[in-house]
């Protein structure tokens, strides 16, 4: 839903700059609720880089420091 909204905003306001912030899941944690969580993260990053002008990726472990 979020990437669809980003695409719609990009189509409607093509001259505006779009910056996104994404928090990616922990790397080494095996107690994830979703098995395909890393796969979903990669697909989301691909879609964000196509639609946004600037993508800031934050690591979940870095937020706890």
């Amino acid at each position: 839903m979020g990437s669809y909204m980003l695409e719609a905003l990009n189509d409607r306001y093509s001259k505006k700059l779009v910056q996104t912030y994404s928090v990616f899941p922990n790397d080494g944690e095996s107690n994830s609720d979703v098995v395909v969580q890393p796969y979903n993260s990669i697909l989301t990053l691909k879609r964000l880089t196509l639609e946004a002008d600037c993508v800031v990726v934050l690591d979940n472990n870095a937020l706890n420091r």
Side-chain angles (χ1 to χ4, degrees), residues 9-63:
L9 285 171
N10 197 16
D11 288 342
R12 182 155 170 96
Y13 306 104
S14 59
K15 294 183 180 181
K16 299 293 182 182
L17 295 176
V18 176
Q19 183 174 2
T20 64
Y21 293 89
S22 301
V23 179
F24 274 27
N26 294 340
D27 228 2
E29 293 215 12
S30 60
N31 59 356
S32 173
D33 294 339
V34 181
V35 176
V36 292
Q37 193 173 28
Y39 182 70
N40 289 341
S41 299
I42 296 299
L43 289 177
T44 302
L45 181 62
K46 174 67 175 170
R47 189 81 186 252
L48 283 175
T49 56
L50 290 175
E51 298 298 333
D53 297 311
C54 179
V55 178
V56 178
V57 178
L58 303 170
D59 182 22
N60 199 16
N61 287 335
L63 296 175

